[in-house]
Amino acid sequence: MKVGTDKIPEADYLLPMEVAGVKFRNPFVVGSGPTVKTVDMLREIERTGWGGASVKLAIDPKYISLPPRYRWLKKEKYHAFTAETRLMFDESLRLIEQGRKVTKDLVIYANFAYAGTEGDEGWIRMAKQFEAAGAHVLELNMCCPNMSFNVVTSGGKMVTLSGASVGSNAEVVSKTAKAIKDAVNIPVFVKLTPEGGKVGDVAKACFDLGIVSVGTTGNRLAIPEFDINNPGNGICHLQDEPTLACFSGPWLKPLALRDVYEMRMKSGPVPNIMGSGGIENWVDSVQMMMCGADMIQICTATMTKGFGILPNIVKNIKKFMDEKGYKSYLDFRDLTAKKITGANGLHLHSGVAVVDMNKCTGCGACEKIGHCYAITIKDKKAIIEPEKCTGCAECTDVCNFAAITMKDTGEIITLAK
Ligand SMILES: Cc1cc2nc3c(=O)[nH]c(=O)nc-3n(C[C@H](O)[C@H](O)[C@H](O)COP(=O)(O)O)c2cc1C
Ligand code: SF4
Ligand code: SF4
């Protein structure tokens, strides 16, 4: 980690917001993970202007915790981790106490999970101690797919379930979250898993019981690229076996946008929703908000690029808002979410593909498209027969020379017609 000393002008990071009485300098929070594990990191997160930091998961009693093993597959645009070190409860309490002493404006989240046999009582005990240690916000970790969910999905057995294993059950999550909320005086946020496919329903169940903010980790458990000549080897350096890995980074963004959209649609316009998954820059962030997010957590990009990405993100969002005349992010939040239409309600335009002969090199890539009878190469140029073209538009993307465009022929096609 490179520690900077420059003072960053407030104009580069201030985009203030308030959630349940907690004031954030901006809606950007460093997501719980390897970049929120030390006091130095918290200091640097504050210096670079972030609104908040969610301290690395604390789990009690000790659970699956190993030295970290990561891969950052740049070409595939995903980050995968197979093993991770969690904080012990005590370590996290000390970190939050010290973090509060060295930071002034940073909102510090306690990200935690109880994995013992006391049920809600165990969660409440941890919650109260985090509150006493000075956490501004509690973030219940109902999201991590790399604990019991990984073990059970890989054919193993776990007596105690934690993270994503419980996070997809609306009844369990909302009941526990409410019990904690009733026991403490600081806001309770819940970070959910999309594993299980019901993230919208679980979010709604939490909001119905009075939870302040619900978010998604975005993370999916998946199998990374592996070497077919050594199919039984692990994909991480210094690891023997292959295992399901926890995926994050840019690859995840489309799925994370959907998670946030589902939560917003199920929960309505009022609740505070946190989006996380593959966010790297200001455009990603605006897209996340347009799909329904109030706040954004970023983890992988802070691992691969450092905390210094924040001022550019905020500066550019402010510029975008000025250009569009938006006074608040609420002016553009949900803009896409509100327009998303089911497959049965679409309005399509009739049309055909057209080739720009000046750009066409006759490379023949478009002629190979397996579902298309419309294209043939004649005299080193692509010729499209309009009557055979269905308007699918595949060829516009297959062509590497931007030689094909779609021409709208004016008819509107709906299921009703
Ligand atoms: C190595 C690693 C460790 C993580 N640990 C935690 C954690 O302890 N608690 C948590 O809530 N989320 C954890 N996450 C999830 C991130 O906070 C974030 O929600 C997720 O990775 C998606 O966002 P990203 O694509 O910006 O990383 C972790 C992610 C990574 C990559
Ligand atoms: S892919 Fe593009 S450049 Fe190649 S033949 Fe088709 S239209 Fe021409
Ligand atoms: S739009 Fe679809 S059907 Fe029409 S030429 Fe292109 S690939 Fe073929």
Side-chain angles (χ1 to χ4, degrees):
M1 183 187 59
K2 184 168 181 250
V3 177
T5 49
D6 302 353
K7 186 155 171 36
I8 296 169
E10 282 193 342
D12 289 359
Y13 61 76
L14 277 191
L15 196 59
M17 69 181 307
E18 193 171 323
V19 187
V22 181
K23 291 187 169 56
F24 291 77
R25 296 186 291 182
N26 56 58
F28 291 93
V29 174
V30 179
S32 180
T35 53
V36 201
K37 284 181 95 169
T38 67
V39 176
D40 288 342
M41 289 172 178
L42 288 173
R43 215 186 264 116
E44 188 61 7
I45 293 169
E46 162 145 293
R47 190 190 71 80
T48 44
W50 294 78
S54 178
V55 167
K56 174 69 202 169
L57 169 66
I59 193 153
D60 191 49
K62 193 170 193 303
Y63 204 66
I64 301 170
S65 189
L66 287 164
R69 293 292 180 267
Y70 305 147
R71 289 300 304 269
W72 168 223
L73 298 177
K74 288 187 276 300
K75 188 159 66 71
E76 291 81 0
K77 287 184 173 283
Y78 62 75
H79 189 280
F81 79 82
T82 59
E84 174 70 338
T85 314
R86 275 101 208 185
L87 293 185
M88 298 297 293
F89 183 26
D90 254 17
E91 283 177 291
S92 182
L93 288 170
R94 299 294 82 79
L95 177 55
I96 288 170
E97 275 169 8
Q98 290 166 20
R100 283 299 309 272
K101 286 186 192 143
V102 301
T103 58
K104 188 164 69 66
D105 299 315
L106 190 70
V107 176
I108 298 185
Y109 292 36
N111 181 288
F112 68 101
Y114 176 69
T117 52
E118 294 166 49
D120 289 354
E121 288 312 308
W123 281 93
I124 291 170
R125 183 173 47 75
M126 290 181 82
K128 286 185 167 167
Q129 290 189 55
F130 278 123
E131 182 179 29
H136 294 103
V137 166
L138 299 177
E139 185 175 58
L140 313 188
N141 184 314
M142 303 284 193
C143 62
C144 183
N146 198 254
M147 299 190 290
S148 50
F149 189 73
N150 173 312
V151 176
V152 174
T153 310
S154 310
K157 283 207 171 68
M158 287 292 303
V159 179
T160 316
L161 300 180
S162 198
S165 298
V166 285
S168 46
N169 184 322
E171 206 185 321
V172 173
V173 173
S174 56
K175 187 179 133 304
T176 301
K178 177 164 182 349
I180 297 168
K181 169 189 157 284
D182 292 345
V184 295
N185 295 308
I186 53 175
V188 175
F189 293 7
V190 184
K191 192 169 174 188
L192 295 175
T193 176
E195 302 280 6
K198 294 279 175 203
V199 72
D201 294 323
V202 188
K204 181 164 187 323
C206 290
F207 288 130
D208 286 348
L209 292 178
I211 295 306
V212 168
S213 173
V214 175
T216 167
T217 179
N219 271 183
R220 271 8 182 235
L221 206 58
I223 300 177
E225 293 302 310
F226 58 89
D227 176 2
I228 56 168
N229 295 310
N230 295 290
N233 286 8
I235 64 115
C236 278
H237 305 287
L238 309 177
Q239 173 180 326
D240 285 344
E241 305 83 5
T243 184
L244 296 178
C246 202
F247 274 52
S248 60
W251 167 90
L252 194 59
K253 192 182 76 175
L255 293 170
L257 294 177
R258 175 198 151 177
D259 299 338
V260 164
Y261 164 69
E262 273 192 59
M263 292 198 286
R264 179 58 69 201
M265 284 301 103
K266 290 271 161 116
S267 307
V270 178
N272 182 283
I273 290 177
M274 182 279 287
S276 153
I279 305 300
E280 290 205 305
N281 57 44
W282 75 273
V283 176
D284 295 339
S285 309
V286 170
Q287 287 174 341
M288 191 60 109
M289 289 173 161
M290 287 182 168
C291 286
D294 297 276
M295 307 196 69
I296 285 171
Q297 291 196 7
I298 303 180
C299 171
T300 301
T302 65
M303 296 172 71
T304 56
K305 299 178 180 183
F307 303 119
I309 57 172
L310 190 273
N312 251 330
I313 293 179
V314 178
K315 253 195 301 189
N316 280 305
I317 291 182
K318 282 167 51 161
K319 190 163 161 258
F320 170 75
M321 288 172 67
D322 282 351
E323 283 165 10
K324 298 280 182 191
Y326 296 138
K327 299 273 171 278
S328 144
Y329 80 94
L330 288 170
D331 293 341
F332 62 90
R333 199 202 71 186
D334 301 348
L335 283 186
T336 301
K338 282 184 199 149
K339 290 278 183 189
I340 288 178
T341 304
N344 57 349
L346 295 179
H347 292 74
L348 306 181
H349 294 231
S350 64
V352 290
V354 179
V355 181
D356 179 338
M357 293 302 167
N358 292 322
K359 292 185 179 168
C360 177
T361 64
C363 73
C366 55
E367 194 186 30
K368 294 182 185 148
I369 295 173
H371 58 270
C372 175
Y373 286 99
I375 308 176
T376 42
I377 305 292
K378 285 191 190 125
D379 300 331
K380 296 199 176 152
K381 294 288 174 192
I383 306 297
I384 296 182
E385 293 176 68
E387 59 285 0
K388 292 186 182 166
C389 173
T390 59
C392 76
E394 191 85 53
C395 50
T396 61
D397 293 321
V398 167
C399 176
N400 285 325
F401 302 93
I404 308 183
T405 50
M406 299 307 296
K407 183 175 155 207
D408 186 335
T409 50
E411 199 188 325
I412 298 294
I413 305 157
T414 64
L415 268 191
K417 286 193 184 169

